Amino acid sequence: MTNIVLNVVVLVLVATVTGWTLRRHRAGPLLWTAAVMVVLTLVFDTIMIAVGLYTYAPDKILGVYLVGAPLEDFAYPLAAVLLLPAVWTWVGDGRRQRHAGGQS
């Protein structure tokens, strides 16, 4: 399995699991966060690959690079942008329910 197939499967799964929760959030901050994360990934992955910190097996990637970062690397920050606010919401909702239930 190539990295792009794995990335698409993971992103679809993450989007499915977090979609309902993220509907409560405003889209603007999520989009800005995604843009910042993509830019940071672009810059730092390009630097790390250029100095030889890691390499990719050519048969596992598409070979499409944005500056110096392979396309597949951008799935990780996008998954984080979806997962972190959703988990934060789930944990916060759970804490609110425990506190509300404990005060009755």
Side-chain angles (χ1 to χ4, degrees), residues 10-11 14 18 22 30 33-34 37 74-87:
V10 169
L11 283 176
V14 167
T18 62
L22 293 179
L30 292 174
T33 302
M37 294 293 289
F74 295 95
Y76 307 115
L78 295 178
V81 168
L82 295 174
L83 275 172
L84 290 176
V87 170

Side-chain angles (χ1 to χ4, degrees), residues 28-103:
L30 292 174
L31 293 173
W32 276 108
T33 302
V36 168
M37 294 293 289
V38 165
V39 168
L40 289 172
T41 300
L42 179 76
V43 170
F44 288 106
D45 277 15
T46 299
I47 292 169
M48 290 187 289
I49 291 168
V51 298
L53 288 177
Y54 57 90
T55 59
Y56 291 92
D59 60 328
K60 295 292 184 184
I61 63 172
L62 285 177
V64 177
Y65 287 84
L66 301 176
V67 183
L71 184 63
E72 291 86 349
D73 276 2
F74 295 95
Y76 307 115
L78 295 178
V81 168
L82 295 174
L83 275 172
L84 290 176
V87 170
W88 185 268
T89 301
W90 297 330
V91 170
D93 286 351
R95 292 183 74 195
R96 279 191 289 277
Q97 288 174 0
R98 281 196 303 277
H99 289 297
Q103 294 178 357

